[in-house]
């Protein structure tokens, strides 16, 4: 994640182009593909409405992530969460079929960290900045998440 200076004069359009793909990945890792896209666009819409305030923040991307996560959590209290899609063996023959359901039962933070690091190839620093935690916290969530995945799928480390 690239951090921009506080009080930047970046336009919303430039911010959107820079942030939307990564925010969508983060929300997809947290809530699944359909709900994740919806959460990302909802938060970016909020950012557009409040751009003068958001653009002055030292970490507007992190702020938008928190907005997306918190708004989606409120919505999920009213409807069941959407799961991750099943693995299509023809399109992804090397993916463990039990992986989506195993990811689905991980705690939200562990699932987000594991998917951002291992599926979307983010660095620990990028994940830490987005989530507003230390790299050691990201490492802990990654280790615990991977350990739980291995146990659920029956894979030995």
């Amino acid at each position: 994640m690239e951090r921009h200076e506080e009080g930047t004069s970046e336009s919303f359009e430039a911010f959107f182009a820079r942030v939307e793909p990564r925010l969508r990945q983060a929300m997809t890792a947290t809530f699944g593909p359909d709900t994740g896209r919806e959460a990302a666009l909802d938060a970016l819409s909020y950012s557009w409405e409040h751009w003068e305030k958001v653009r002055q923040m030292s970490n507007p991307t992190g702020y938008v992530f928190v907005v997306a996560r918190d708004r989606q959590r409120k919505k999920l209290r009213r409807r069941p969460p959407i799961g991750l899609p099943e693995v299509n063996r023809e399109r992804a023959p090397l993916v463990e079929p039990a992986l989506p359901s195993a990811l689905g039962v991980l705690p939200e933070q562990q699932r987000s960290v594991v998917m951002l690091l291992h599926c979307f190839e983010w660095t620990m620093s990028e994940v830490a900045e987005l989530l507003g935690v230390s790299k050691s916290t990201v490492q802990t969530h990654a280790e615990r998440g991977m350990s739980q995945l291995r146990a659920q799928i029956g894979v030995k480390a």
Side-chain angles (χ1 to χ4, degrees), residues 4-10 52-60:
H4 287 264
E5 292 181 30
E6 187 173 352
T8 182
S9 61
E10 181 178 33
E52 289 307 312
K53 173 184 159 189
V54 173
R55 75 191 289 167
Q56 300 299 318
M57 297 178 174
S58 61
N59 185 4

PDB file of all heavy atoms in Angstrom, residues 4-10 52-60:
ATOM      1  N   HIS A   4       0.059   8.182   1.173  1.00  0.00           N
ATOM      2  CA  HIS A   4       0.166   9.522   0.630  1.00  0.00           C
ATOM      3  C   HIS A   4       0.246  10.522   1.766  1.00  0.00           C
ATOM      4  O   HIS A   4      -0.233  10.275   2.876  1.00  0.00           O
ATOM      5  CB  HIS A   4      -1.027   9.829  -0.279  1.00  0.00           C
ATOM      6  CG  HIS A   4      -0.942   9.086  -1.579  1.00  0.00           C
ATOM      7  ND1 HIS A   4      -0.429   9.637  -2.701  1.00  0.00           N
ATOM      8  CD2 HIS A   4      -1.257   7.809  -1.905  1.00  0.00           C
ATOM      9  CE1 HIS A   4      -0.447   8.755  -3.683  1.00  0.00           C
ATOM     10  NE2 HIS A   4      -0.951   7.636  -3.215  1.00  0.00           N
ATOM     11  N   GLU A   5       0.843  11.655   1.489  1.00  0.00           N
ATOM     12  CA  GLU A   5       1.019  12.679   2.510  1.00  0.00           C
ATOM     13  C   GLU A   5      -0.321  13.210   2.979  1.00  0.00           C
ATOM     14  O   GLU A   5      -1.271  13.318   2.212  1.00  0.00           O
ATOM     15  CB  GLU A   5       1.839  13.844   1.948  1.00  0.00           C
ATOM     16  CG  GLU A   5       3.267  13.481   1.664  1.00  0.00           C
ATOM     17  CD  GLU A   5       4.048  14.672   1.140  1.00  0.00           C
ATOM     18  OE1 GLU A   5       3.722  15.811   1.507  1.00  0.00           O
ATOM     19  OE2 GLU A   5       4.982  14.437   0.362  1.00  0.00           O
ATOM     20  N   GLU A   6      -0.361  13.608   4.267  1.00  0.00           N
ATOM     21  CA  GLU A   6      -1.554  14.202   4.839  1.00  0.00           C
ATOM     22  C   GLU A   6      -1.863  15.486   4.085  1.00  0.00           C
ATOM     23  O   GLU A   6      -0.967  16.222   3.676  1.00  0.00           O
ATOM     24  CB  GLU A   6      -1.318  14.493   6.315  1.00  0.00           C
ATOM     25  CG  GLU A   6      -2.557  14.966   7.032  1.00  0.00           C
ATOM     26  CD  GLU A   6      -2.335  15.077   8.521  1.00  0.00           C
ATOM     27  OE1 GLU A   6      -1.292  14.657   9.014  1.00  0.00           O
ATOM     28  OE2 GLU A   6      -3.238  15.609   9.182  1.00  0.00           O
ATOM     29  N   GLY A   7      -3.133  15.769   3.913  1.00  0.00           N
ATOM     30  CA  GLY A   7      -3.540  16.986   3.236  1.00  0.00           C
ATOM     31  C   GLY A   7      -3.266  16.949   1.740  1.00  0.00           C
ATOM     32  O   GLY A   7      -3.071  17.974   1.120  1.00  0.00           O
ATOM     33  N   THR A   8      -3.259  15.788   1.165  1.00  0.00           N
ATOM     34  CA  THR A   8      -2.944  15.632  -0.256  1.00  0.00           C
ATOM     35  C   THR A   8      -3.992  16.322  -1.125  1.00  0.00           C
ATOM     36  O   THR A   8      -5.139  16.489  -0.729  1.00  0.00           O
ATOM     37  CB  THR A   8      -2.854  14.138  -0.635  1.00  0.00           C
ATOM     38  OG1 THR A   8      -2.501  14.048  -2.001  1.00  0.00           O
ATOM     39  CG2 THR A   8      -4.148  13.409  -0.426  1.00  0.00           C
ATOM     40  N   SER A   9      -3.578  16.705  -2.305  1.00  0.00           N
ATOM     41  CA  SER A   9      -4.508  17.317  -3.249  1.00  0.00           C
ATOM     42  C   SER A   9      -4.973  16.290  -4.280  1.00  0.00           C
ATOM     43  O   SER A   9      -5.487  16.648  -5.330  1.00  0.00           O
ATOM     44  CB  SER A   9      -3.845  18.510  -3.941  1.00  0.00           C
ATOM     45  OG  SER A   9      -2.710  18.066  -4.648  1.00  0.00           O
ATOM     46  N   GLU A  10      -4.788  15.018  -3.973  1.00  0.00           N
ATOM     47  CA  GLU A  10      -5.207  13.945  -4.873  1.00  0.00           C
ATOM     48  C   GLU A  10      -6.703  14.061  -5.143  1.00  0.00           C
ATOM     49  O   GLU A  10      -7.504  14.275  -4.231  1.00  0.00           O
ATOM     50  CB  GLU A  10      -4.887  12.592  -4.223  1.00  0.00           C
ATOM     51  CG  GLU A  10      -5.254  11.398  -5.066  1.00  0.00           C
ATOM     52  CD  GLU A  10      -4.880  10.071  -4.425  1.00  0.00           C
ATOM     53  OE1 GLU A  10      -4.918   9.967  -3.184  1.00  0.00           O
ATOM     54  OE2 GLU A  10      -4.547   9.154  -5.167  1.00  0.00           O
ATOM     55  N   GLU A  52     -13.713  15.791   1.088  1.00  0.00           N
ATOM     56  CA  GLU A  52     -12.924  16.879   1.684  1.00  0.00           C
ATOM     57  C   GLU A  52     -12.350  16.458   3.034  1.00  0.00           C
ATOM     58  O   GLU A  52     -11.216  16.806   3.362  1.00  0.00           O
ATOM     59  CB  GLU A  52     -13.750  18.153   1.813  1.00  0.00           C
ATOM     60  CG  GLU A  52     -14.037  18.821   0.474  1.00  0.00           C
ATOM     61  CD  GLU A  52     -12.765  19.077  -0.348  1.00  0.00           C
ATOM     62  OE1 GLU A  52     -11.782  19.605   0.206  1.00  0.00           O
ATOM     63  OE2 GLU A  52     -12.764  18.742  -1.546  1.00  0.00           O
ATOM     64  N   LYS A  53     -13.093  15.704   3.797  1.00  0.00           N
ATOM     65  CA  LYS A  53     -12.612  15.201   5.096  1.00  0.00           C
ATOM     66  C   LYS A  53     -11.638  14.040   4.904  1.00  0.00           C
ATOM     67  O   LYS A  53     -10.567  13.994   5.502  1.00  0.00           O
ATOM     68  CB  LYS A  53     -13.815  14.752   5.940  1.00  0.00           C
ATOM     69  CG  LYS A  53     -13.466  14.072   7.233  1.00  0.00           C
ATOM     70  CD  LYS A  53     -14.732  13.585   7.928  1.00  0.00           C
ATOM     71  CE  LYS A  53     -14.407  12.502   8.918  1.00  0.00           C
ATOM     72  NZ  LYS A  53     -15.596  11.851   9.448  1.00  0.00           N
ATOM     73  N   VAL A  54     -12.000  13.093   4.053  1.00  0.00           N
ATOM     74  CA  VAL A  54     -11.206  11.874   3.853  1.00  0.00           C
ATOM     75  C   VAL A  54      -9.834  12.207   3.265  1.00  0.00           C
ATOM     76  O   VAL A  54      -8.816  11.665   3.702  1.00  0.00           O
ATOM     77  CB  VAL A  54     -11.961  10.862   2.956  1.00  0.00           C
ATOM     78  CG1 VAL A  54     -11.091   9.672   2.597  1.00  0.00           C
ATOM     79  CG2 VAL A  54     -13.245  10.401   3.645  1.00  0.00           C
ATOM     80  N   ARG A  55      -9.768  13.100   2.331  1.00  0.00           N
ATOM     81  CA  ARG A  55      -8.505  13.409   1.661  1.00  0.00           C
ATOM     82  C   ARG A  55      -7.480  14.027   2.595  1.00  0.00           C
ATOM     83  O   ARG A  55      -6.288  13.994   2.314  1.00  0.00           O
ATOM     84  CB  ARG A  55      -8.737  14.304   0.450  1.00  0.00           C
ATOM     85  CG  ARG A  55      -9.050  15.751   0.852  1.00  0.00           C
ATOM     86  CD  ARG A  55      -9.549  16.618  -0.253  1.00  0.00           C
ATOM     87  NE  ARG A  55      -8.521  16.925  -1.205  1.00  0.00           N
ATOM     88  CZ  ARG A  55      -8.747  17.458  -2.385  1.00  0.00           C
ATOM     89  NH1 ARG A  55      -9.979  17.757  -2.752  1.00  0.00           N
ATOM     90  NH2 ARG A  55      -7.766  17.726  -3.203  1.00  0.00           N
ATOM     91  N   GLN A  56      -7.912  14.571   3.721  1.00  0.00           N
ATOM     92  CA  GLN A  56      -7.003  15.201   4.681  1.00  0.00           C
ATOM     93  C   GLN A  56      -6.397  14.190   5.660  1.00  0.00           C
ATOM     94  O   GLN A  56      -5.481  14.527   6.410  1.00  0.00           O
ATOM     95  CB  GLN A  56      -7.736  16.291   5.477  1.00  0.00           C
ATOM     96  CG  GLN A  56      -8.291  17.409   4.616  1.00  0.00           C
ATOM     97  CD  GLN A  56      -7.203  18.149   3.860  1.00  0.00           C
ATOM     98  OE1 GLN A  56      -6.142  18.439   4.398  1.00  0.00           O
ATOM     99  NE2 GLN A  56      -7.451  18.436   2.591  1.00  0.00           N
ATOM    100  N   MET A  57      -6.883  12.972   5.657  1.00  0.00           N
ATOM    101  CA  MET A  57      -6.420  11.959   6.617  1.00  0.00           C
ATOM    102  C   MET A  57      -5.030  11.451   6.247  1.00  0.00           C
ATOM    103  O   MET A  57      -4.660  11.431   5.081  1.00  0.00           O
ATOM    104  CB  MET A  57      -7.412  10.801   6.665  1.00  0.00           C
ATOM    105  CG  MET A  57      -8.755  11.229   7.163  1.00  0.00           C
ATOM    106  SD  MET A  57      -9.901   9.850   7.138  1.00  0.00           S
ATOM    107  CE  MET A  57     -11.296  10.613   7.926  1.00  0.00           C
ATOM    108  N   SER A  58      -4.290  11.008   7.269  1.00  0.00           N
ATOM    109  CA  SER A  58      -2.947  10.486   7.008  1.00  0.00           C
ATOM    110  C   SER A  58      -2.992   9.118   6.337  1.00  0.00           C
ATOM    111  O   SER A  58      -2.071   8.744   5.632  1.00  0.00           O
ATOM    112  CB  SER A  58      -2.138  10.417   8.302  1.00  0.00           C
ATOM    113  OG  SER A  58      -2.760   9.553   9.218  1.00  0.00           O
ATOM    114  N   ASN A  59      -4.072   8.349   6.544  1.00  0.00           N
ATOM    115  CA  ASN A  59      -4.218   7.042   5.918  1.00  0.00           C
ATOM    116  C   ASN A  59      -5.654   6.885   5.413  1.00  0.00           C
ATOM    117  O   ASN A  59      -6.442   6.127   5.975  1.00  0.00           O
ATOM    118  CB  ASN A  59      -3.864   5.923   6.910  1.00  0.00           C
ATOM    119  CG  ASN A  59      -3.885   4.543   6.277  1.00  0.00           C
ATOM    120  OD1 ASN A  59      -4.098   4.387   5.082  1.00  0.00           O
ATOM    121  ND2 ASN A  59      -3.676   3.530   7.086  1.00  0.00           N
ATOM    122  N   PRO A  60      -6.007   7.599   4.336  1.00  0.00           N
ATOM    123  CA  PRO A  60      -7.387   7.510   3.857  1.00  0.00           C
ATOM    124  C   PRO A  60      -7.778   6.109   3.416  1.00  0.00           C
ATOM    125  O   PRO A  60      -8.919   5.699   3.568  1.00  0.00           O
ATOM    126  CB  PRO A  60      -7.448   8.506   2.699  1.00  0.00           C
ATOM    127  CG  PRO A  60      -6.037   8.797   2.336  1.00  0.00           C
ATOM    128  CD  PRO A  60      -5.202   8.511   3.539  1.00  0.00           C
TER     129      PRO A  60
END
